[in-house]
Amino acid sequence: TKKVESDLALKRKRVEKDHVARMNQNHETSTILAKCRVMEAQCAQMAESARTWPERKEKKVEELKEMMIRIRGNVDKEADKLTAQMDEKEASNNEIHAENEKLQVEFDDLKAKLDAEFASYQDRHKVHDDRTTLLRQSLEASQEKTNHLRAEAMVYGRELHTIEEQIVGYTETC
């Protein structure tokens, strides 16, 4: 009976060992199956993503086209504003230039009159220097005004040039 008991004990230990081994193997198999299911789900997602890619790509292309149209519209609006500003500056510059020419004519007339008057007074009457000084001051004031207007015209000319450069820059950016 001792031998039978010992054989039974050995068989029971083997059965328990086999049972534990099967349990471990079942656990490993379950883990592997779970990983396979996760990978199958990922593959399905990737397949769906690949299937819908052309549609998504086309939609993205359309969105980018619309964005480019909006950007071009904004650039065109900005270019129109800058062109209008440039036209205003040019018109203002033309007005200043016309005024400058008018003042130059007045200046030349005044200078001619002054020279003629001065020669006449000097030749005939030897007019007092105060009169000559006053006329020269008037002439100088006219010259200063002319110079001031010329300086303003140059400033507007520089601003006009800067606006033209901005338009060229915006155009090149587009």
Side-chain angles (χ1 to χ4, degrees), residues 117-132:
E117 257 185 68
F118 182 71
S120 173
Y121 284 134
Q122 194 175 33
D123 289 345
R124 289 182 296 144
H125 306 291
K126 302 289 184 191
V127 177
H128 193 271
D129 286 342
D130 289 344
R131 174 85 172 127
T132 303

Side-chain angles (χ1 to χ4, degrees), residues 3 10 15 19 26 33 89 92 102 115 163 168:
K3 179 159 175 109
L10 279 173
V15 167
H19 178 70
N26 284 344
L33 283 173
K89 294 286 184 185
S92 176
K102 180 180 168 185
D115 289 344
I163 290 171
V168 169

Side-chain angles (χ1 to χ4, degrees), residues 26-77:
N26 284 344
H27 178 70
E28 287 176 15
T29 303
S30 296
T31 303
I32 290 170
L33 283 173
K35 288 180 181 177
C36 286
R37 286 186 192 107
V38 169
M39 291 173 79
E40 282 177 5
Q42 289 175 342
C43 286
Q45 286 176 341
M46 289 166 61
E48 179 64 16
S49 178
R51 186 186 66 74
T52 61
W53 168 244
E55 297 166 8
R56 288 183 289 131
K57 181 180 92 172
E58 187 64 32
K59 184 178 178 184
K60 193 66 171 176
V61 166
E62 288 302 317
E63 288 173 1
L64 290 172
K65 285 179 182 177
E66 289 172 7
M67 187 181 352
M68 285 301 295
I69 289 169
R70 283 194 308 273
I71 290 171
R72 283 187 184 139
N74 291 341
V75 167
D76 289 344
K77 286 178 188 174

Side-chain angles (χ1 to χ4, degrees), residues 88-131:
E88 288 174 16
K89 294 286 184 185
E90 188 174 352
S92 176
N93 194 24
N94 289 342
E95 288 174 13
I96 290 171
H97 184 68
E99 181 69 22
N100 190 24
E101 287 179 3
K102 180 180 168 185
L103 288 173
Q104 185 65 45
V105 168
E106 287 178 23
F107 172 75
D108 292 343
D109 288 347
L110 283 174
K111 187 174 187 292
K113 287 177 184 177
L114 178 64
D115 289 344
E117 257 185 68
F118 182 71
S120 173
Y121 284 134
Q122 194 175 33
D123 289 345
R124 289 182 296 144
H125 306 291
K126 302 289 184 191
V127 177
H128 193 271
D129 286 342
D130 289 344
R131 174 85 172 127

Side-chain angles (χ1 to χ4, degrees), residues 99-100 103 106 138-152:
E99 181 69 22
N100 190 24
L103 288 173
E106 287 178 23
S138 173
L139 178 66
E140 288 172 3
S142 294
Q143 184 65 44
E144 284 179 22
K145 187 173 181 183
T146 300
N147 289 341
H148 177 73
L149 288 172
R150 281 183 182 158
E152 281 185 13

